[in-house]
Amino acid sequence: MNFDDYRGVWVFLEEKDGVIAPVSLELLGAGRKLADKRQTELSGVLIGEGVTALAQSAFEYGADKVFVYDDPIYRHYRTEAYMRAVLACVEKHKPEILLYGATSTGKDLASAVATDLPTGLTADTTQLDVEEDTGLLLASRPAFGGNIMATILCKKYRPQMATVRPKVMKALPREPGRTGTIIAESIPLREEDVRTKVLEIVRATTRRVRIDEADIIVAGGKGLGGPAGFQLIHRLAETIGAAVGASRDVVEAGWIGHHHQVGQTGVTVTPKIYFAIGISGAIQHIVGMQNSGLIIAINKDSAAPIFQSCHYGIVGDALEIVPMLIQAFETALGRKEEANAGKV
Amino acid sequence: MLHIVACIKQVPDTKIIKMNPKTNTMDRASAPAILNPYDAHAVEEAVRLRARYGGVVSVLTMGPPPAVKAIKKCIEIGADEGYMITDRAFAGADTLATSYALTKALEKIATIRPIDLIICGKMTIDGDTGQVGPGIARRLDIPPLTSVNKVVEINQDEGYAIVHRKLEDGYEVIRSTLPCLLSVEKEINEVPYSPLPNMLRAARYQPHIWSVNDLPDIDRPQLGLKGSPTIVSSVWAPAKPQGGTMLEGTAQDQVQQLLNVLLERRELLEVGRS
Ligand SMILES: Cc1cc2nc3c(=O)[nH]c(=O)nc-3n(C[C@H](O)[C@H](O)[C@H](O)COP(=O)(O)OP(=O)(O)OC[C@H]3O[C@@H](n4cnc5c(N)ncnc54)[C@H](O)[C@@H]3O)c2cc1C
Ligand SMILES: Cc1cc2nc3c(=O)[nH]c(=O)nc-3n(C[C@H](O)[C@H](O)[C@H](O)COP(=O)(O)OP(=O)(O)OC[C@H]3O[C@@H](n4cnc5c(N)ncnc54)[C@H](O)[C@@H]3O)c2cc1C
């Protein structure tokens, strides 16, 4: 393997609901820095049906080139079809680095591609850097439930690949009108060659709770004592227009559904304000919310680890503090005009 | 007769593992070794499918000799057979080398009894990559199906499986040819307490144990540390958070102070309310 043949930083551009997924834009931001350091190009790989037009937004977020596989066979994500496209593209154009979002699609695709190439794949990266002269990718990730960080290298194979956690890297500000080169690619792939079929896609009928998109999250933990106490979380959230989050223990106790779970095995969130109420602050919870803009913790135990990771902390009984907070907000935000203003 | 193989791993319980603050290494003695919790669901699903369709459930692990305990746990859940590959040659494997060694073991198991379905956990709680399942599937050239949260049907006669793959906002229904490999979500099932007969059987059970020499056509350079493209170059403890401002005074005072802090950022509250 001649390393000099491998040039350029690539990002797999994940398409979702007709737009490029936020994590892919974040990776273009991170990839731009790596490419600039290596004085090389940043490219995207875009696969789907009717996706060519999306290349423009990749250019506006930092890409120089986009390789596009636009064909009905890619209508739904399927490992085998997408993998064939990425493998062909890598063999033809030889990137030195290839990044994917650590989403279920990105992880699935990257694992398959890494096995076939073969090359190394670092999982769930949260820090990326590159050695300027050698091009060695320094990919760091949490392991052992977030108890340690490890820097992982891939010295003997190219491309170097990593999946990167959503919401950790920063997208560049959009530069409207920035352009680049679209390279249309295709491979001979027939429907009969793909051994899986998507029979149906079922969207959840319940109102979608997208806590990963909320500006404010009020999250509750076991400290609320039970489903009745947890209602206070819903009430506070409603008062200030926030989404509701929860610790894993609360989800496991059945007080609220799994898609509200924040943390390592739940959702990673970066709201502008995050309330952690009756949550102890286990490392697996912290990794899911530590990049929030303003973190407020309420816990009756002054030694709770959550106070190490918050901006403002209140030591006290949530069952007492939260109702007071709800009332204070209602007054301050002008709900309930009849409330005794000033007397909160 | 279906033959289902669940791949399982023994892991340190990362929930209670302690770090040595001087060396930044894990104090393994502080954490008991357990069956990877996700893999319990893989085995349970295999057992449930056997109840529906008949057949045999085998489990396979690669690990050091004490991992026999994890196999016994799977026998308690209801597995029929346990296979373990253990050898210094496997040590230090990354996911690529792990999937290679496991594939060689699966090929050998398939000579004893052809395999229809392989089930893996979503991920482990120590390495935590989720890469091994799809890696095995690619090496065996069978379809990998990740994020599976329901098995609708396994039709051995017609050679297909229908499963649900979890999406962020729902699920998709997939039909795949058999054999295939599923990586299953925790929510796919609940693992009940093991019935007593299983416990008794597990206590006596001796798994099939193979070393590298027992695996035919193995390409040694692809094993263990040597066969691993990724290298863990350094390990460190994540930066300790600083800690925030603790509000003081009576509960009333504290609530008022907090309100003031938040009202300074009132525009955020308005955003949230829209
Ligand atoms: C592999 C793995 C993955 C995990 N993934 C996640 C994850 O994604 N998300 C997650 O959250 N956890 C996760 N966990 C679990 C995590 O380790 C903790 O067990 C969990 O976060 C604890 O939830 P909790 O803080 O609600 O409960 P507890 O730890 O029980 O804490 C309750 C807190 O409430 C306080 N309290 C009690 N009463 C009151 C009161 N009246 N007023 C105010 N405070 C009160 C207590 O002082 C305590 O600090 C994971 C664990 C493992 C091993
Ligand atoms: C700190 C640290 C970081 C690491 N980071 C990486 C990395 O980024 N990339 C990389 O390639 N490797 C990495 N590794 C190595 C990796 O943990 C090992 O290769 C491990 O053997 C398998 O990966 P996993 O634990 O992530 O399994 P996963 O891929 O998460 O496991 C998924 C499923 O595969 C099956 N399975 C996994 N291992 C076994 C086994 N031994 N026997 C039977 N079935 C099994 C189980 O069904 C399991 O649920 C890292 C190791 C450490 C210590």
Side-chain angles (χ1 to χ4, degrees):
Chain A
M1 177 173 274
N2 185 355
F3 281 16
D4 295 338
D5 296 343
Y6 290 79
R7 291 294 285 165
V9 176
W10 287 13
V11 171
F12 167 67
L13 300 172
E14 191 173 332
E15 178 251 1
K16 217 179 148 261
D17 302 328
V19 294
I20 294 179
V23 66
S24 303
L25 302 180
E26 293 158 23
L27 288 188
L28 287 173
R32 185 72 260 170
K33 290 206 188 85
L34 302 179
D36 289 347
K37 214 164 158 183
R38 286 287 288 157
Q39 299 180 337
T40 182
E41 279 177 334
L42 175 67
S43 307
V45 182
L46 182 58
I47 305 171
E49 181 189 25
V51 290
T52 305
L54 299 181
Q56 180 53 33
S57 70
F59 300 141
E60 294 179 351
Y61 283 95
D64 302 312
K65 262 188 203 161
V66 176
F67 302 101
V68 185
Y69 292 78
D70 195 333
D71 190 285
I73 202 163
Y74 306 121
R75 168 156 196 192
H76 300 297
Y77 173 75
R78 288 182 295 175
T79 317
E80 290 189 317
Y82 276 55
M83 177 196 78
R84 298 264 169 243
V86 174
L87 285 172
C89 206
V90 167
E91 269 151 33
K92 187 165 167 192
H93 300 286
K94 299 189 168 45
E96 56 184 345
I97 292 171
L98 173 47
L99 306 174
Y100 309 73
T103 58
S104 54
T105 295
K107 293 185 74 148
D108 181 287
L109 177 63
S111 308
V113 170
T115 311
D116 274 55
L117 279 173
T119 191
L121 175 61
T122 304
D124 281 300
T125 308
T126 56
Q127 284 178 36
L128 283 172
D129 202 355
V130 68
E131 278 184 12
E132 217 170 302
D133 43 347
T134 61
L136 191 64
L137 182 69
L138 312 173
S140 304
R141 58 172 303 227
F144 292 94
N147 289 297
I148 60 163
M149 288 288 292
T151 302
I152 311 248
L153 311 176
C154 173
K155 288 187 174 162
K156 294 191 183 141
Y157 294 76
R158 291 291 180 272
Q160 308 166 83
M161 304 211 302
T163 60
V164 182
R165 273 203 163 218
K167 302 245 177 193
V168 177
M169 305 295 159
K170 291 260 174 302
L172 297 170
R174 178 169 164 248
E175 211 178 296
R178 187 177 179 278
T179 57
T181 316
I182 293 180
I183 300 167
E185 294 281 353
S186 70
I187 50 169
L189 183 66
R190 293 160 311 163
E191 187 53 44
E192 309 87 84
D193 301 332
V194 187
R195 292 174 289 184
T196 53
K197 312 279 167 232
V198 178
L199 303 181
E200 193 186 353
I201 293 187
V202 181
R203 305 279 176 202
T205 44
T206 48
R207 197 165 58 89
R208 287 203 293 170
V209 215
R210 295 300 306 267
I211 57 170
D212 55 336
E213 286 168 6
D215 279 316
I216 310 178
I217 294 174
V218 179
K222 274 313 258 293
L224 276 310
F230 201 80
Q231 283 307 314
L232 287 173
I233 298 295
H234 289 282
R235 277 184 48 211
L236 177 58
E238 215 166 277
T239 308
I240 56 177
V244 172
S247 70
R248 189 178 77 166
D249 290 23
V250 159
V251 170
E252 287 187 344
W255 301 355
I256 195 167
H258 179 257
H259 41 280
H260 294 271
Q261 182 181 321
V262 173
Q264 189 194 335
T265 44
V267 186
T268 303
V269 297
T270 48
K272 294 177 175 139
I273 305 177
Y274 188 89
F275 289 86
I277 303 178
I279 291 178
S280 57
I283 182 76
Q284 297 89 354
H285 188 84
I286 301 294
V287 294
M289 44 62 84
Q290 61 194 355
N291 294 328
S292 304
L294 180 69
I295 299 170
I296 292 153
I298 303 175
N299 195 301
K300 73 170 184 199
D301 174 8
S302 63
I306 189 73
F307 290 127
Q308 297 303 312
S309 300
C310 73
H311 298 99
Y312 290 95
I314 292 183
V315 178
D317 183 348
L319 305 179
E320 182 193 351
I321 304 279
V322 177
M324 289 164 68
L325 207 52
I326 292 170
Q327 221 207 348
F329 272 123
E330 276 174 350
T331 309
L333 296 174
R335 301 254 180 108
K336 281 213 184 157
E337 256 74 73
E338 69 275 25
N340 282 340
K343 230 196 123 193
V344 234
Chain B
M1 283 280 281
L2 278 178
H3 184 202
I4 308 172
V5 182
C7 295
I8 63 116
K9 186 184 180 189
Q10 190 181 51
V11 296
D13 191 341
T14 52
K15 197 165 177 174
I16 48 186
I17 201 160
K18 294 209 169 53
M19 299 294 294
N20 179 333
K22 291 212 182 84
T23 57
N24 275 341
T25 52
M26 285 155 309
D27 175 11
R28 284 191 181 258
S30 73
I34 55 170
L35 172 64
N36 178 38
Y38 291 91
D39 297 347
H41 296 278
V43 178
E44 173 69 16
E45 195 58 23
V47 168
R48 289 182 187 209
L49 290 172
R50 181 188 59 197
R52 262 159 78 186
Y53 299 107
V56 173
V57 173
S58 302
V59 298
L60 166 65
T61 193
M62 174 178 91
V68 166
K69 240 185 104 194
I71 293 191
K72 288 188 177 249
K73 179 74 201 165
C74 299
I75 302 288
E76 286 182 15
I77 298 173
D80 300 297
E81 296 290 345
Y83 297 88
M84 168 155 131
I85 55 171
T86 184
D87 201 303
R88 281 185 184 279
F90 302 134
D94 74 354
T95 56
L96 199 71
T98 299
S99 69
Y100 178 70
L102 290 172
T103 298
K104 286 292 158 191
L106 287 162
E107 284 170 354
K108 177 156 174 162
I109 294 172
T111 64
I112 302 169
R113 189 181 274 118
I115 300 170
D116 302 289
L117 184 66
I118 300 172
I119 309 186
C120 286
K122 177 196 177 77
M123 60 184 206
T124 64
I125 61 170
D126 60 343
D128 189 353
T129 65
Q131 293 170 187
V132 170
I136 294 171
R138 283 308 310 148
R139 289 180 182 280
L140 290 171
D141 194 21
I142 60 175
L145 296 164
T146 53
S147 308
V148 171
N149 60 8
K150 184 174 178 168
V151 178
V152 179
E153 186 188 354
I154 303 286
N155 193 323
Q156 197 183 7
D157 295 337
E158 293 180 37
Y160 68 83
I162 296 179
V163 302
H164 290 181
R165 282 189 75 226
K166 181 179 171 176
L167 304 173
E168 266 146 55
D169 52 354
Y171 62 90
E172 57 183 15
V173 186
I174 306 279
R175 181 190 157 117
S176 167
T177 54
L178 279 181
C180 60
L181 181 142
L182 315 180
S183 295
V184 298
E185 299 284 318
K186 262 173 61 172
E187 69 212 46
I188 192 164
N189 57 41
E190 270 179 34
V191 185
Y193 286 106
S194 305
L196 190 61
N198 290 8
M199 311 267 276
L200 296 175
R201 178 160 184 267
R204 300 190 302 269
Y205 185 78
Q206 292 301 326
H208 310 262
I209 299 179
W210 294 331
S211 74
V212 66
N213 294 325
D214 297 314
L215 300 176
D217 308 324
I218 202 147
D219 180 25
R220 285 175 181 256
Q222 293 195 52
L223 294 174
L225 203 57
K226 263 201 315 267
S228 297
T230 64
I231 309 156
V232 179
S233 83
S234 63
V235 163
W236 75 90
K240 270 253 176 292
Q242 313 287 303
T245 310
M246 299 305 287
L247 302 177
E248 279 164 11
T250 64
Q252 287 283 356
D253 294 344
Q254 296 189 38
V255 167
Q256 192 55 51
Q257 289 170 53
L258 182 57
L259 191 69
N260 293 341
V261 168
L262 290 168
L263 290 179
E264 276 169 29
R265 296 171 171 76
R266 191 180 182 113
E267 74 287 355
L268 298 182
L269 300 175
E270 314 289 5
V271 171
R273 278 154 66 86
S274 63

